[in-house]
Amino acid sequence: SNAVRLLKSYLILTAEHGLNASTFAVRVATSTKTSAPKAIAAGVETLSGPAHGGAIADVTLMMEKLQDASVNVWINQNYISQKKPVPGFGHRVYKGVLDPRAVEIKNLLISIYGEEDPVVVRFLAVEDVVLEKLSAKGIYPNVDFWAACLFKKLDIAQTLCHFVLARVPGWSAHRLEQLEKGNRLIRPSSAYVGRMPQTVPGILPGKASLAAAALPLEPGVSMGGYPRFSYGGGAAGKGSPRTPGGGVAQNNVPMAKL
């Protein structure tokens, strides 16, 4: 049926999309050697953030508020004139180019329902207005815009579960790849860039902790800038040196934290 074609197409088109936030979360969790369900749960929790998995709901809300208002006037008043991003338009990956997933879903909707369908007409009208204003900036409809139309036509209240259903196969593939490639712990380096004290006390108050003992100040470092520390003989800023206790110490720890 048409409903099956539409839903199947959506699930396939959104199953995998590179190293996005939720996929990265799954790979990081996998690198800790946690179980598959817990790694997938990390992806679900990350996807639940409105900046990642809430875009379709934002488009749906916009279209509900629009209702019978003039598309051109309403979009200009509520988004363009206020320089607010229009839900369903623009994508960090597809800057200045069309989102191929959006194109596929749009074409499928038109092939099934035609360009005269009231719901499709409304989405096309919004697309035309936004493109007229923002296409020069390289902003085009993304997959969430036309996915909102798809769910509207299917009369399905779009919830996070649909996105999760689509992404679980992709997350699982990334997890398997992580395991097959040696599964090294993913642990990016970090650098402290906050304000530092101008003097270094000669003696730390109280009993010096193991962590503090493992963090001697490198000679010749100016406290007016951003000092770096060595860890138990390891060079600061190189990899993830270990403390005498065996734990991984964090680079560039501020004196205020010692």
Side-chain angles (χ1 to χ4, degrees), residues 130-210:
V130 177
L131 287 179
E132 180 184 350
K133 304 293 183 181
L134 301 178
S135 62
K137 298 181 179 180
I139 297 177
Y140 299 97
N142 58 42
V143 66
D144 300 309
F145 181 76
W146 284 105
C149 182
L150 181 151
F151 284 109
K152 178 69 174 177
K153 288 303 302 177
L154 295 179
D155 196 24
I156 296 176
Q158 204 284 327
T159 62
L160 187 65
C161 69
H162 302 108
F163 208 169
V164 171
L165 283 173
R167 281 291 162 90
V168 166
W171 289 340
S172 299
H174 275 274
R175 173 178 166 78
L176 290 175
E177 182 181 72
Q178 181 74 22
L179 293 171
E180 291 171 359
K181 297 297 182 180
N183 196 27
R184 294 185 62 184
L185 181 66
I186 298 175
R187 204 280 189 189
S189 298
S190 61
Y192 179 76
V193 295
R195 181 176 176 81
M196 300 297 292
Q198 299 303 305
T199 59
V200 180
I203 300 176
L204 291 172
K207 294 182 179 179
S209 65
L210 178 62

Side-chain angles (χ1 to χ4, degrees), residues 52-258:
H52 184 25
I56 296 179
D58 291 340
V59 175
T60 301
L61 181 61
M62 175 183 71
M63 298 303 290
E64 289 176 351
K65 289 182 176 179
L66 176 58
Q67 295 183 350
D68 297 325
S70 167
V71 174
N72 187 52
V73 173
W74 196 86
I75 292 293
N76 272 291
Q77 287 180 344
N78 290 276
Y79 295 101
I80 307 300
S81 64
Q82 298 184 42
K83 297 183 178 181
K84 292 169 58 178
V86 183
F89 286 82
H91 196 285
R92 184 167 295 182
V93 174
Y94 304 109
K95 294 181 178 179
V97 296
L98 297 174
D99 183 338
R101 305 167 301 168
V103 174
E104 186 67 25
I105 293 176
K106 174 185 175 181
N107 290 339
L108 184 58
L109 285 165
I110 292 176
S111 69
I112 293 174
Y113 300 107
E115 294 185 354
E116 303 303 319
D117 177 86
V119 175
V120 175
V121 166
R122 202 64 168 160
F123 275 80
L124 286 171
V126 172
E127 181 184 66
D128 288 343
V129 169
V130 177
L131 287 179
E132 180 184 350
K133 304 293 183 181
L134 301 178
S135 62
K137 298 181 179 180
I139 297 177
Y140 299 97
N142 58 42
V143 66
D144 300 309
F145 181 76
W146 284 105
C149 182
L150 181 151
F151 284 109
K152 178 69 174 177
K153 288 303 302 177
L154 295 179
D155 196 24
I156 296 176
Q158 204 284 327
T159 62
L160 187 65
C161 69
H162 302 108
F163 208 169
V164 171
L165 283 173
R167 281 291 162 90
V168 166
W171 289 340
S172 299
H174 275 274
R175 173 178 166 78
L176 290 175
E177 182 181 72
Q178 181 74 22
L179 293 171
E180 291 171 359
K181 297 297 182 180
N183 196 27
R184 294 185 62 184
L185 181 66
I186 298 175
R187 204 280 189 189
S189 298
S190 61
Y192 179 76
V193 295
R195 181 176 176 81
M196 300 297 292
Q198 299 303 305
T199 59
V200 180
I203 300 176
L204 291 172
K207 294 182 179 179
S209 65
L210 178 62
L215 298 171
L217 181 65
E218 288 184 343
V221 175
S222 169
M223 291 307 294
Y226 303 123
R228 306 173 75 186
F229 303 90
S230 60
Y231 302 88
K238 295 181 180 179
S240 299
R242 296 186 176 276
T243 66
V248 177
Q250 191 172 13
N251 293 345
N252 303 307
V253 178
M255 287 299 294
K257 298 294 185 181
L258 296 181

